[in-house]
Amino acid sequence: MSTVEKTIDVDVPVRSAYDQWTQFEEFPRFMEGVEEVRQVDDRHCHWRTKVAGVRREFDTEIVDQLPDERVAWRTVGGEVRQKGVVTFQSLDEGHTRVRLAMEVEPEGVVEKTGDALGILDLRVKGDLKRFKGFIEERGQATGGWRGRVSPSDATGPAPTGTPTDAPRTTGGTMGLTGPAGPADDVPVIPGQADRSSRGAGAWPPADRP
């Protein structure tokens, strides 16, 4: 897998930056190549992308989500293999550091060539810049979801059927069902130490001094 890690500072409070990132269906507004993200339930999304003329569809599962700190995910079905985490660090009342780390398995000749040329690195950098412009221009998030997803809640493949009609909104709790599945399929970036309550070796780190 190829690893990419980028950081950007945004001029909004940590809650605004985090809340906006939880609005997954808004991703096409600032993520290059993302045509649609459809929310299936609190943990799962279905994606349609077009990169270098190649269309892909895949499903993702949130494996760790803590308000104002992090969102970690992995693919659980479809034509793409990736996993990653975005963390949020409050610098002061009006500024937030956003850090995105991903591991991606390039598919096909076009994507492997693009990876060799650093295209993924440029795309992630561009996505963060567009996210910064998007949230700073608005000044506040388009919505927010304050629920908690723990690694032990991960269940694997996304459910089929009609997506939930209830948007991710501030407050509320999650109705988690089904057996717990593996939750360790998330990236480990060399040189990082975990400072969270889950101990050494767990991902993602709390991103705190």
Side-chain angles (χ1 to χ4, degrees):
M1 281 196 172
S2 299
T3 300
V4 60
E5 180 180 356
K6 294 294 177 184
T7 301
I8 198 166
D9 293 345
V10 297
D11 299 339
V12 296
V14 65
R15 178 164 183 150
S16 296
Y18 172 85
D19 282 354
Q20 184 59 59
W21 201 277
T22 67
Q23 302 305 288
F24 304 131
E25 293 188 352
E26 301 278 0
F27 280 3
R29 299 177 70 174
F30 56 83
M31 286 191 175
E32 182 182 1
V34 177
E35 295 188 330
E36 180 187 28
V37 179
R38 179 166 51 88
Q39 185 104 27
V40 179
D41 59 25
D42 285 341
R43 294 191 309 276
H44 301 95
C45 291
H46 182 76
W47 295 60
R48 288 196 303 109
T49 64
K50 183 179 180 181
V51 179
V54 178
R55 278 195 163 86
R56 304 282 190 197
E57 292 198 32
F58 57 96
D59 299 310
T60 56
E61 177 186 38
I62 301 298
V63 294
D64 190 7
Q65 182 166 345
L66 181 63
D68 299 337
E69 289 199 15
R70 61 182 176 263
V71 179
W73 75 93
R74 63 183 174 186
T75 51
V76 291
E79 305 171 278
V80 173
R81 290 185 59 201
Q82 66 170 236
K83 47 192 176 181
V85 60
V86 57
T87 61
F88 304 85
Q89 179 183 0
S90 178
L91 301 177
D92 57 38
E93 290 184 0
H95 299 85
T96 303
R97 180 157 294 158
V98 180
R99 178 177 146 273
L100 176 61
M102 293 177 60
E103 287 187 0
V104 178
E105 183 70 39
E107 298 287 343
V109 175
V110 173
E111 292 177 20
K112 289 180 179 179
T113 301
D115 178 64
L117 296 174
I119 300 301
L120 176 62
D121 188 83
L122 292 174
R123 282 183 53 216
V124 171
K125 183 177 181 179
D127 288 346
L128 286 180
K129 283 186 175 180
R130 285 183 291 274
F131 174 74
K132 173 182 171 71
F134 181 81
I135 187 61
E136 288 182 357
E137 181 178 358
R138 291 187 53 85
Q140 60 184 4
T142 58
W145 190 78
R146 310 293 295 177
R148 173 73 169 112
V149 178
S150 299
S152 61
D153 297 328
T155 58
T160 58
T162 304
T164 176
D165 292 329
R168 284 181 164 226
T169 55
T170 303
T173 57
M174 296 180 7
L176 300 177
T177 59
D184 58 352
D185 190 21
V186 288
V188 176
I189 307 300
Q192 291 179 330
D194 178 46
R195 300 183 181 90
S196 72
S197 61
R198 289 185 283 115
W203 178 265
D207 244 16
R208 294 290 185 270

